[in-house]
Every structure is written in C-alpha cells, then in structure tokens.
Amino acid sequence: MTLRLDRERLVATMEEQAEYGATEDGGLHRLALTKADREIRDWFVDQLKEAGLSVRVDEFGNIFGRREGINPDAAPILLGSHLDSQPNGGIYDGALGVVAALEFIRTLNDKGIETTRPVEVVNWTNEEGSRFQPAMQGSGVWAGVHDIDTERAKTDDDGVALGEALHEIGYSGDVPAKPMTDYEEYLELHVEQGPLLAEAGADVGVVTGIVGFTWGAATFHGEADHSGPTPMHHRSDALVAAADLIAAVRRIPGTLGERTVGTVGYVDASPNSINVIPGEVTVTWGFRDPSDAVVERAYRRVLAEAEHAAEREGVDVEIEERMRAPAVLFPDRTVDAIRRAAKACDCQHLELLSGAGHDATHVASVCNTGMVFAVSEGGKSHSPEEFTSWDDCYEAATVLANTALEIADGTQ
Ligand code: HGY
Ligand code: MN
Ligand code: MN
C-alpha cells in the first residue's frame, strides 16, 4: 500500500515558502545569506520544530532536522535540497525538495508511522552559487570537498565575506560541517529544469546521475581611454577581447560532446561608460558534460581562447577556475528503489541524467544517493517562468516519500 501525502498541505507549504523573497513577476529573489534567506531559514526551523524534529545548524549554515527511529543507532536516511534561489529565479528550484521532505515527515507523524531508521531533513547553504561561488557550496563543505575556512573567506561582488554574511544572518552554527554519522541514503527531489519529462509525457524522472562542471572567470585588463580622440590602432580594449571569448564559449561545445553545454552568464565591464574604452572586463564561463574528460578539454580550450583573445587585442588576462564538480552516477540500488516507488505510485517514469547541478553531486561521495525529478513545464528554470503543476509536485513528492519509507524501513 503506497503512502499518500497531504496534497493540500504540500501546496499550501509551497505557496507559503514562495512568499519569502517573492518578486512581482511570481519568481523568487532569495540569494544565499541575504535577509530573504535568513527569513526562509527561520521559517524552515519553525516548520522542523513544529514537526517535532530536533534541529541543528552546522558551521557552514547547513540546517538539519532529525526524527528519531525505532533503532537510534541505525544509519539515518537524509532528505532535502536548498532554499536559496537565483536572482529572479523560480519558486520550485530547491524549495520543492525541502518542502517534499517536510511533507514526508508530517505524513509519518499524521499516520503514527515509526521508521526503523532515523530520518533527517536538510537545507544546504548556497546551492545556487550565484552570490558566492562555487555552487553546491554547503554540501561541498559538508562532504569534505571544500575547506570550510577557504569557503568562508569567499567574497561576493561587494567584497562581503561569506563567513561574515553567515554570521550576520545568525546561521553560523556550532556543529561541525561534516557527517556526524554514517548515512544509509540521501534522496533529493528537484524540478528537472529541462524539457525531457514534459516531452516524453512522463509523470516523474528517475535520475541516473548528474553531469560534471567547470566554472570560472576571465578578467581582461586593457586601458581605459577617451573613445573619441583615441585612434583605433592605439587602443587596448578589454571588452573586445572579452567579446572574442564570449563567442568562443558559444563555439566550443559544438566541437566537443553531444551533451556539452557552454555559457557566459556574467559580464562586468568597467567603467561601463558610453564614451570610455573599457579598461577592465570580467566574463564567466560554465561548461558541463556527462564526461569529466570532456569537461577538462573544454577547460583547456577556454584557457587557450582567453589567451589568444588577450593577445589579439594587446591586453592582459587573468583566469580563475571557480568550480570543478565531477560527473556522478547514482548507485543501482538507489535508482532501483526510486523506480520501484514510481511503479508502486503508478507514475510513468523516464530515466535521465541531470543537466543541472545539485547538492546530490557532493553527497554522493558520502553515501548512497538518488534523485527524483518533477516535470518542468516548458523546461524553463532559473527564471520566474519556471513552472511545475501542483499535480506534478504531488506525484514526485509521493515517489520520494515511498522511496524514503522503504529505505527507512517504515512499518505502516
Ligand atoms: O548551476 C546549477 O546547475 C545549479 O542550479 N546550481
Ligand atoms: Mn536547485
Ligand atoms: Mn538552480
């Protein structure tokens, strides 16, 4: 008999969380460690306490809630995702995974279900990697991929250090940011953020793994000068070099793998004045591919292209890789458990690789890990147009819950 959740409560909780950092056009602006992030974190801690969970916050601001099991020594299962958003992002990215985990706990409480294993729920710090890089930062520190002091020293565009911002919002916790015990499984529900489920007419996605990434920035140093009297052959125009690199980032994926993608998402030109030749320009790159070797080739290509662009324009260039995340494949036993739950819930499922990064990338290096995807209508994400119907949210949350119940060895 499959566990059914409280659909109304799931929807109401999703709508409630979407109020924190809400934008006029129905999106979310809830950057990591800002006031809106503090507010949603306070809200989340209240929900955990109301559900009877013990709460702890680690030194990197990751928030955990714990529901005891019949066997307190059994390795817990961990469910969750992230509550920070992109600038002007969507209301489902990350939040659906946290709310679905909460709904699982609330349903266990309603039905008086005791699980053999303890169940923990987590909100990871700074999954998005927009204000501070890298992405999946909190789960990366927790999994031992990143050094906590190095990450706490990272600064945003205004020079604010992450550790300071964490302290400012009151979430620099006292628990070490690392696994306090062995975990049996980590399960994350997330919106697909791509078009495949919708195109296939599937109800849910059974995620087989996540692509690898390289993210970085190239800063071109030219000479700011008057755009009028400076003859063309006297110029060292940082923006012209940056424009060359932007075109190259677009070209590189076509020469690599079928699934290679490349993006320049951030450009900062100074002094950014209509009649000044740009003196300094920073552009970022991001490449992803299912193969780490292809990601490495993309990285080498972008380095070479940046050097050539700088040479052609007679400017200097500084290059900094800000993130390298490995491609991961989830273990069969977890993928099988999610597939079984999808079938038990009578959901048409599609098996797919995630083109987006998730905290599961790093947690997969700590314990068995798997993901369930909910349908992203139109495949849009990281924008207010991000949309998943409540039915699709409910279906995917039910598959997550039934997978978790089986692994937590719940006795109904
Ligand atoms: O970039 C990503 O894939 C994620 O949204 N941080
Ligand atoms: Mn996300
Ligand atoms: Mn995202």
Side-chain angles (χ1 to χ4, degrees):
M1 204 262 285
T2 53
L3 186 70
R4 303 312 291 172
L5 303 175
D6 183 328
R7 185 183 183 286
E8 234 169 85
R9 181 172 56 195
L10 179 80
V11 170
T13 309
M14 277 299 289
E15 287 171 338
E16 198 179 325
Q17 67 78 24
E19 287 162 23
Y20 295 86
T23 53
E24 311 247 297
D25 47 8
L28 268 193
H29 190 78
R30 204 157 71 194
L31 290 185
L33 311 186
T34 57
K35 176 172 169 295
D37 190 19
R38 174 175 56 75
E39 290 167 352
I40 194 69
R41 284 164 168 265
D42 292 347
W43 170 85
F44 178 56
V45 167
D46 289 347
Q47 306 310 312
L48 292 175
K49 287 181 176 166
E50 272 167 40
L53 275 64
S54 60
V55 177
R56 64 184 192 276
V57 179
D58 76 17
E59 291 161 339
F60 206 72
N62 298 311
I63 303 171
F64 295 83
R66 180 181 169 97
R67 182 180 196 262
E68 288 309 333
I70 297 165
N71 174 359
D73 303 328
I77 66 165
L78 180 62
L79 310 175
S81 191
H82 64 92
L83 290 168
D84 66 302
S85 84
Q86 284 289 335
N88 217 15
I91 68 164
Y92 307 89
D93 178 354
L96 180 59
V98 174
V99 170
L102 207 46
E103 178 52 32
F104 174 59
I105 295 287
R106 288 168 167 173
T107 300
L108 294 178
N109 291 346
D110 290 351
K111 297 176 187 285
I113 294 173
E114 287 197 282
T115 55
T116 304
R117 299 181 182 287
V119 180
E120 295 197 357
V121 175
V122 62
N123 164 48
W124 299 110
T125 293
N126 188 29
E127 187 281 340
E128 291 294 0
S130 177
R131 180 182 175 197
F132 298 98
Q133 275 106 41
M136 300 97 81
Q137 201 175 25
S139 51
V141 167
W142 182 82
V145 173
H146 302 309
D147 167 68
I148 188 165
D149 295 328
T150 308
E151 298 312 306
R152 286 173 70 100
K154 294 277 177 73
T155 55
D156 66 7
D157 278 354
D158 300 325
V160 175
L162 185 144
E164 208 185 299
L166 200 56
H167 184 76
E168 198 60 31
I169 65 166
Y171 278 90
S172 184
D174 46 10
V175 172
K178 59 181 184 183
M180 306 301 278
T181 170
D182 289 340
Y183 282 90
E184 180 65 17
E185 210 92 24
Y186 172 66
L187 297 171
E188 181 169 354
L189 164 56
H190 204 286
V191 286
E192 177 201 343
Q193 301 178 295
L196 302 180
L197 294 181
E199 284 169 0
D203 299 320
V204 290
V206 176
V207 188
T208 52
I210 303 176
V211 295
F213 291 49
T214 171
W215 276 10
T219 299
F220 293 93
H221 300 280
E223 269 173 52
D225 209 335
H226 197 305
S227 63
T230 313
M232 292 311 283
H233 62 283
H234 275 205
R235 295 178 178 217
S236 302
D237 185 330
L239 191 51
V240 168
D244 266 5
L245 185 61
I246 292 170
V249 170
R250 182 62 186 243
R251 231 185 6 257
I252 289 170
T255 66
L256 294 174
E258 239 168 55
R259 287 221 35 191
T260 314
V261 293
T263 315
V264 170
Y266 174 99
V267 180
D268 181 34
S270 78
N272 225 11
S273 164
I274 188 163
N275 51 358
V276 178
I277 300 166
E280 184 175 301
V281 177
T282 296
V283 293
T284 61
W285 76 74
F287 291 100
R288 308 180 192 211
D289 191 274
S291 145
D292 289 337
V294 171
V295 168
E296 175 60 20
R297 282 171 50 206
Y299 172 65
R300 294 195 175 287
R301 285 284 304 281
V302 78
L303 290 195
E305 292 286 355
E307 298 291 350
H308 295 154
E311 227 167 281
R312 271 194 298 276
E313 188 54 32
V315 300
D316 295 327
V317 64
E318 267 175 277
I319 299 164
E320 178 204 8
E321 186 174 38
R322 293 187 177 167
M323 176 170 84
R324 180 70 68 100
V328 292
L329 287 176
F330 297 137
D332 290 346
R333 67 164 253 177
T334 313
V335 176
D336 293 346
I338 297 172
R339 191 188 297 118
R340 262 199 309 282
K343 286 189 181 136
C345 296
D346 218 5
C347 285
Q348 290 301 319
H349 72 273
L350 176 75
E351 299 192 10
L352 72 170
L353 203 58
S354 174
H358 301 287
D359 293 303
T361 288
H362 294 316
V363 184
S365 65
V366 173
C367 64
N368 288 316
T369 291
M371 291 188 75
V372 180
F373 270 175
V375 177
S376 288
E377 288 197 15
K380 293 282 285 181
S381 184
H382 282 189
S383 88
E385 283 84 62
E386 183 178 284
F387 181 73
T388 297
S389 74
W390 293 134
D391 281 346
D392 284 336
C393 288
Y394 178 74
E395 298 278 11
T398 306
V399 171
L400 175 84
N402 283 278
T403 311
L405 188 60
E406 181 197 299
I407 297 170
D409 200 16
T411 45
Q412 292 216 38

